[in-house]
Amino acid sequence: EPEVTQTPSHQVTQMGQEVILRCVPISNHLYFYWYRQILGQKVEFLVSFYNNEISEKSEIFDDQFSVERPDGSNFTLKIRSTKLEDSAMYFCASRTGTSTAEQYFGPGTRLTVT
Amino acid sequence: EDKVVQSPLSLVVHEGDTVTLNCSYEVTNFRSLLWYKQEKKAPTFLFMLTSSGIEKKSGRLSSILDKKELFSILNITATQTGDSAVYLCAVAWAPGAGSYQLTFGKGTKLSVIP
């Protein structure tokens, strides 16, 4: 069964460093998402991406964040200058097309900023 | 502010018990309500409900949506220890044409003891 994959599973970085989190969405999916979940808190929407551009973003998704689909399979989230409060689990999700809201989630990348 | 409220926040039951998890919502441009199961990492898709009053069923799990009263329930019958997880309710809403965004509740942590 096709699934969303994410790498790395765990990333430790120092405050101020740049990180890139990678995702490979399900191959025939057209819409891509990033969510984050701070430990003990609820899953929060960051950004949605369609047709090579951002379609929606939340207040959390400020200028420190960017997304890219550099080729036909990868979808990346870059955090330019990490802060302690960026420590969280980051989930990538994807869905097929316009007629359904079903999103399928990857296993997540745990980001720890020290 | 859009809201998704789940109750109870945690629940401990014995194997074989039946449980009912609740989700109420207040979201503009509602499209669907989704249930996910989160064990260690990624939320795993369970159900998507779009129409009121139509029960969706998968094995021992079932769910129904009431769009008039703005809530959904997830039932699990004959619980097993493998059902122990956090159950997430998410509402899909449409900020723009063709795009869907998920707003999650805090989850219900279900613990099933032998």
Side-chain angles (χ1 to χ4, degrees):
Chain A
E1 188 178 320
E3 56 184 23
V4 178
T5 59
Q6 289 185 242
T7 53
S9 57
H10 190 192
Q11 172 101 44
V12 181
T13 190
Q14 288 192 322
M15 206 164 52
Q17 295 296 304
E18 174 184 287
V19 293
I20 298 176
L21 311 183
R22 300 178 196 280
C23 167
V24 178
I26 296 172
S27 63
N28 63 339
H29 285 192
L30 302 176
Y31 293 81
F32 314 117
Y33 302 83
W34 284 101
Y35 292 84
R36 80 169 184 192
Q37 187 175 32
I38 294 170
L39 190 63
Q41 297 188 25
K42 60 182 178 179
V43 177
E44 300 174 288
F45 168 77
L46 291 178
V47 66
S48 60
F49 192 86
Y50 169 70
N51 202 25
N52 280 319
E53 60 183 29
I54 291 173
S55 44
E56 304 291 339
K57 60 182 181 178
S58 71
E59 291 170 355
I60 304 166
F61 194 88
D62 62 21
D63 292 344
Q64 293 298 317
F65 292 88
S66 62
V67 289
E68 200 177 38
R69 189 151 161 85
D71 53 44
S73 57
N74 289 284
F75 178 50
T76 62
L77 174 70
K78 184 195 289 188
I79 309 174
R80 264 182 267 285
S81 176
T82 50
K83 304 181 216 138
L84 294 175
E85 54 265 36
D86 294 327
S87 294
M89 182 73 94
Y90 288 81
F91 293 110
C92 173
S94 68
R95 69 177 177 94
T96 53
T98 55
S99 63
T100 178
E102 257 174 70
Q103 292 182 22
Y104 292 89
F105 283 74
T109 292
R110 177 161 296 287
L111 177 65
T112 303
V113 183
T114 61
Chain B
E1 185 186 313
D2 292 339
K3 282 191 298 193
V4 179
V5 178
Q6 292 187 245
S7 64
L9 290 180
S10 70
L11 191 53
V12 180
V13 301
H14 286 96
E15 256 189 327
D17 287 351
T18 292
V19 297
T20 298
L21 311 183
N22 303 291
C23 177
S24 65
Y25 63 91
E26 200 175 313
V27 167
T28 52
N29 297 321
F30 173 90
R31 290 294 180 264
S32 311
L33 187 142
L34 295 88
W35 285 97
Y36 287 87
K37 179 181 182 183
Q38 187 176 29
E39 293 178 88
K40 298 239 162 91
K41 288 191 175 178
T44 306
F45 174 78
L46 293 174
F47 297 113
M48 184 174 76
L49 303 146
T50 306
S51 302
S52 239
I54 297 173
E55 186 183 53
K56 290 237 174 155
K57 215 167 156 58
S58 175
R60 295 176 294 103
L61 277 66
S62 63
S63 184
I64 198 159
L65 173 67
D66 185 329
K67 286 166 77 173
K68 187 178 169 195
E69 300 297 330
L70 307 182
F71 78 91
S72 173
I73 59 172
L74 174 68
N75 280 319
I76 309 174
T77 58
T79 50
Q80 301 170 357
T81 54
D83 296 326
S84 296
V86 176
Y87 290 84
L88 301 174
C89 171
V91 170
W93 57 285
S99 69
Y100 293 95
Q101 201 173 114
L102 295 183
T103 296
F104 282 84
K106 289 184 178 176
T108 293
K109 183 176 178 182
L110 174 66
S111 302
V112 182
I113 51 179

